[in-house]
Amino acid sequence: MVTGAAPAALPASLRFAVAVLTLLLPSGFRVRQRDEWTADLLALPSGRRRYVLGAARTLPALHAAARRAGLASAPVTVQGVLAAPARVLTAGLGWPVLSWLLVVPLPYFLFDIPGRIAATGGGLVDPKSLWPSGVLFWVLLPLILSLTLGAYVALAGGWLLAASIGLAGTVVGLRLRHLRLAVAGLVLAAVSLLAVTAAGQPVFNADPGYGAALLGTVAVGLGLWGRSLTPWQRARLIVIGFTAAAVLAAHHTTLGAAMHAWYLD
């Protein structure tokens, strides 16, 4: 193999072909292979185009050789591509919709809220009256606040849900050291919260579950067809997606309207 061959000695079309082929190789393997191709082409009196086509066919074998020699990093896998959006949806959508499930439908049926309301002649049953009391209340206060805020985000949807996704993107981006994702998430969260502030109208009438259902559909899709994700990741996404669909259904049914009216009033 001849190294250090001058690419400028080749015709422009062949130099372009060699440059394209070189870019398709791992970075640690490019200079070596470019010099080899250039030297071979300079030594050929004819048949240079056939040589270039043959070189293109050897690209998979060259990638394998580069990996064996430790000159190439592992290729980007689908797992790497899907890991970030799966984590963002798990956190940004999972927190509000699962909070909604735990503090709205679950206590509504568990504590027979319709029966209590009927027993008081239509009087209100304060959701806060269902919280534990005494020392246990203070111990569980961080969890109670988190679930309450998450439920409000699920009920409001719209910009608040977008802010949740943005904050999740920021956290995931920082954990994965993915600066672009972290910055994009922070910008989305900031813009969403500014939009809520500037709207000047009740946020609970803006998005009756459609945003959650749309993101839930994406979550279910990743759970069903994201074969490279772990079984637990896929299971979580499917559960979150169907819970998001339940949020949409609750917004458009009589029973759901009664639950939401009880919780928000």
Side-chain angles (χ1 to χ4, degrees):
M1 177 183 68
V2 179
T3 59
L10 291 173
S13 59
L14 290 178
R15 291 203 305 271
F16 178 76
V18 170
V20 170
L21 291 175
T22 301
L23 288 175
L24 296 176
L25 290 172
S27 58
F29 206 61
R30 288 173 184 168
V31 174
R32 167 185 169 182
Q33 194 59 41
R34 182 201 63 195
D35 289 346
E36 181 174 333
W37 282 333
T38 301
D40 288 346
L41 287 169
L42 287 173
L44 285 175
S46 62
R48 290 177 170 179
R49 297 183 187 277
R50 288 195 300 273
Y51 179 89
V52 170
L53 292 175
R57 289 194 293 269
T58 64
L59 286 174
L62 291 173
H63 272 273
R67 287 194 294 273
R68 288 195 298 269
L71 298 175
S73 57
V76 177
T77 63
V78 179
Q79 166 67 30
V81 173
L82 295 183
R87 292 185 183 187
V88 171
L89 280 175
T90 299
L93 180 63
W95 166 57
V97 300
L98 294 178
S99 296
W100 169 86
L101 180 65
L102 291 173
V103 302
V104 182
L106 183 62
Y108 188 80
F109 294 107
L110 184 63
F111 295 101
D112 188 21
I113 300 303
R116 292 191 180 197
I117 294 175
T120 59
L124 295 177
V125 178
D126 191 344
K128 293 190 291 294
S129 67
L130 306 178
W131 295 349
S133 58
V135 176
L136 186 59
F137 169 79
W138 295 105
V139 172
L140 296 178
L141 183 58
L143 177 61
I144 291 172
L145 292 177
S146 176
L147 292 176
T148 301
L149 180 58
Y152 279 130
V153 171
L155 289 170
W159 288 113
L160 283 183
L161 184 58
S164 176
I165 294 295
L167 290 173
T170 301
V171 173
V172 171
L174 291 175
R175 291 191 63 181
L176 296 179
R177 298 182 182 179
H178 195 314
L179 183 59
R180 291 182 181 178
L181 176 59
V183 172
L186 188 61
V187 170
L188 175 59
V191 170
S192 301
L193 293 175
L194 286 174
V196 171
T197 304
Q201 60 184 0
V203 295
F204 293 103
N205 297 326
D207 173 23
Y210 294 113
L214 177 61
L215 293 173
T217 301
V218 176
V220 171
L222 284 176
L224 292 177
W225 291 288
R227 302 296 184 186
S228 63
L229 298 173
T230 67
W232 280 112
Q233 286 176 314
R234 296 172 63 188
R236 286 195 296 265
L237 287 168
I238 291 173
V239 169
I240 290 168
F242 279 109
T243 307
V247 173
L248 174 65
H251 272 289
H252 299 277
T253 60
T254 303
L255 176 59
M259 288 192 303
H260 293 172
W262 160 72
Y263 187 75
L264 293 175
D265 288 343

